[in-house]
Amino acid sequence: MLAGVPCCFHAAIREGAKSPVLAETLARLELQTLPWRALNFSRDAGRSAQSRTEHAAIAAALLARDAEAARAAMQAHVAGAFLALSRTHSA
């Protein structure tokens, strides 16, 4: 982990995708969002636990090869991060 950000999970998703284009896109996105993700984890005490729960849902869907569940879990994860950021900036 780097500054509370679950980098290993994100790296596993990139590698597991088996798509260099997707891996590069995700790596860039992760790099671009690192500052605000780190802020989320440092200022929102519950975000780390929530993120782990979201990661577990994503992993379960991927392992089950359930594309729709994976999409929904990923969408919920991104939305959760956005909401945490919104709370951090409005506090």
Side-chain angles (χ1 to χ4, degrees), residues 17-89:
K18 304 285 190 222
S19 167
V21 173
L22 181 58
E24 177 66 23
T25 300
L26 292 173
R28 283 189 192 151
L29 181 61
E30 186 173 350
L31 185 61
Q32 291 172 343
T33 61
L34 185 61
W36 66 261
R37 288 184 301 128
L39 184 65
N40 275 352
F41 288 111
S42 68
R43 292 193 179 171
D44 185 339
R47 182 65 197 143
S48 184
Q50 182 63 36
S51 183
R52 283 192 303 276
T53 298
E54 293 162 358
H55 283 177
I58 294 165
L62 291 173
L63 291 171
R65 298 185 181 273
D66 186 337
E68 180 57 29
R71 183 205 58 77
M74 191 64 210
Q75 188 174 30
H77 180 50
V78 171
F82 178 77
L83 290 173
L85 181 64
S86 297
R87 286 191 303 270
T88 297
H89 281 290

